[in-house]
Amino acid sequence: ALPISGIKEPDSNDEDQVDNRTFGNIFHRAAELVYERLLPKNIITEEDIDKILNQKNSLDSIMSQAVSEELFNLPKGTTKHPTLNGLQLINYEVIETYLRQLLQIDKRLTPFRVIGHELDAFKPRIVKGKTISIGGRIDRLDLVPNDHESASGATLRVVYYKTGSRQAKNVKAVEDIFDTAKLHTHHTDYLFQAILYATNLTSEAAQQRFFGNMQQPYGVSPALLFIQHAGVKDYSPVLTLDADPITDVARQCQDSFENLLTEKLEDIFDETTPFKPTEDRRTCA
C-alpha cells in the first residue's frame, strides 16, 4: 500500500486569470501580512485597527506584496509586479475591500492577540493498528478574551477564512457533520475541517508549542469566517451546534466528534471493503 504523500495542487501559471484558488491565496497572504506588519504582536486594540481603516493607502504595500507572490509567483517580500490588467485590477480592489471588512469584524474582538498564521495542526490517531497523523494548516490562531464563564479567562480561536460564495449552514448535532446527505445541502465539509483543527489543539501538549509551560490549556473555539457574508450586523464566525456557539470544543463536542471520526477512518481503512465509484455524481463536480 502506498502512503498518503501530501501532494499539493500545482500553482496556476496563467497570470491573466485570477481563479478562485488564486483569489483566495492573495486574500490569505494579504491578511497574514496585515497582522504581521501593520498591527502589534501582543495585544491588538480598537485604536490599532482604526488607524489602518482611517488611512486611505494603508494597505497598498500589503496588497502589492500579496499579488506579487501569489499571482505572479515572484520571490517572498517582492512588492513590485507587472501592471495589472482590467480583470486583475477589479479582483485587487475586491480583495482590499474584503481586508477592510475583516478588520471591521476583528475590531469587535479587541483587545485580542494573534498567535500566528498558517500554523500546522496535526494529531496522531490510531486506526486498525496504524498511527495516522490527521490535520491541516490553520489560517489564523487568536487568543481572545472570554465573554462566557471559563477558568482560563481567554479562549483560543481557530480561524479559517472562506472567500467563496458557498456558506456552511448550521447543524443541530455532530452526527450531522458526518451525514453524507448533508454534504451538499449544508457544506458540512467546512464544519468538519474547522472542528477537526480545533480538537487537534485542545491538549496542553498541543498548546505548549505556542505558550510554553501552562497551568491548564485554554478552551478552543472553531471559527469559519465567510468574508462575503460578514457584513451582517453582529456577525460572528464562531461555529454553532443547535444554535449554541462552540466556545470550548473539548467540553461541548470533542468526544462525540472523535468517536465518529474513528468510525469513519476505520471504514476508510477497512481492507475488506473495495473502493467503488460514488453514487452521488455531485461529489465529483
Side-chain angles (χ1 to χ4, degrees):
L2 293 174
I4 297 172
S5 302
I7 297 172
K8 298 180 180 179
E9 294 181 68
D11 290 326
S12 173
N13 292 322
D14 186 358
E15 295 177 353
D16 289 334
Q17 182 68 29
V18 183
D19 60 18
N20 290 341
R21 180 167 173 267
T22 302
F23 183 99
N25 287 345
I26 295 170
F27 173 82
H28 280 70
R29 181 58 174 151
E32 180 180 6
L33 289 169
V34 166
Y35 284 91
E36 283 186 352
R37 287 175 39 188
L38 300 183
L39 288 166
K41 300 293 183 186
N42 294 321
I43 300 300
I44 297 170
T45 67
E46 183 175 350
E47 291 74 20
D48 294 324
I49 293 179
D50 276 336
K51 185 177 179 181
I52 298 173
L53 291 173
N54 295 332
Q55 188 175 342
K56 183 178 180 182
N57 300 319
S58 60
L59 300 178
D60 283 357
S61 64
I62 297 294
M63 286 296 303
S64 293
Q65 182 174 337
V67 167
S68 296
E69 294 175 1
E70 301 297 338
L71 179 60
F72 295 103
N73 296 319
L74 296 173
K76 293 288 184 183
T78 303
T79 56
K80 291 186 178 180
H81 55 71
T83 302
L84 301 181
N85 64 31
L87 184 58
Q88 292 168 345
L89 189 58
I90 291 171
N91 280 278
Y92 180 104
E93 292 176 352
V94 171
I95 293 170
E96 183 174 341
T97 299
Y98 283 180
L99 281 179
R100 292 186 174 276
Q101 185 136 294
L102 172 65
L103 288 165
Q104 290 283 8
I105 297 164
D106 285 344
K107 193 164 75 165
R108 302 173 196 162
L109 281 178
T110 56
F112 70 100
R113 176 185 170 196
V114 174
I115 303 303
H117 291 79
E118 299 297 322
L119 301 172
D120 287 336
F122 287 85
K123 178 180 176 180
R125 292 170 172 86
I126 298 175
V127 181
K128 291 186 174 292
K130 299 180 177 71
T131 299
I132 306 167
S133 183
I134 301 173
R137 181 160 290 182
I138 298 170
D139 288 343
R140 193 174 103 192
L141 187 64
D142 299 337
L143 189 64
V144 300
N146 283 336
D147 55 4
H148 56 278
E149 292 184 7
S150 173
S152 62
T155 296
L156 269 182
R157 196 180 70 143
V158 176
V159 183
Y160 214 84
Y161 301 133
K162 295 295 183 185
T163 56
S165 59
R166 288 203 321 165
Q167 187 175 16
K169 296 181 181 179
N170 293 327
V171 294
K172 289 190 174 183
V174 177
E175 288 77 8
D176 293 331
I177 297 172
F178 289 83
D179 182 353
T180 54
K182 288 184 167 58
L183 178 63
H184 302 291
T185 58
H186 289 68
H187 303 306
T188 47
D189 49 332
Y190 292 167
L191 307 177
F192 173 86
Q193 181 183 38
I195 294 177
L196 173 68
Y197 294 178
T199 59
N200 285 356
L201 293 179
T202 55
S203 70
E204 183 175 336
Q207 294 184 23
Q208 280 180 345
R209 59 186 278 218
F210 308 116
F211 304 105
N213 293 329
M214 309 172 66
Q215 291 185 341
Q216 65 179 37
Y218 293 108
V220 184
S221 178
L224 283 171
L225 206 165
F226 294 94
I227 198 69
Q228 285 195 32
H229 305 276
V232 181
K233 185 179 179 182
D234 298 328
Y235 174 84
S236 172
V238 174
L239 267 60
T240 62
L241 284 176
D242 199 16
D244 185 22
I246 305 175
T247 55
D248 186 346
V249 72
R251 176 177 56 83
Q252 292 173 261
C253 62
Q254 181 158 347
D255 287 346
S256 55
F257 182 86
E258 292 283 358
N259 290 337
L260 289 163
L261 177 61
T262 298
E263 288 180 16
K264 182 64 68 176
L265 290 170
E266 289 178 346
D267 181 47
I268 292 171
F269 282 86
D270 184 355
E271 296 179 359
T272 65
T273 303
F275 285 102
K276 61 181 180 179
T278 178
E279 295 177 358
D280 187 346
R281 294 180 66 89
R282 292 177 299 173
T283 304
C284 303

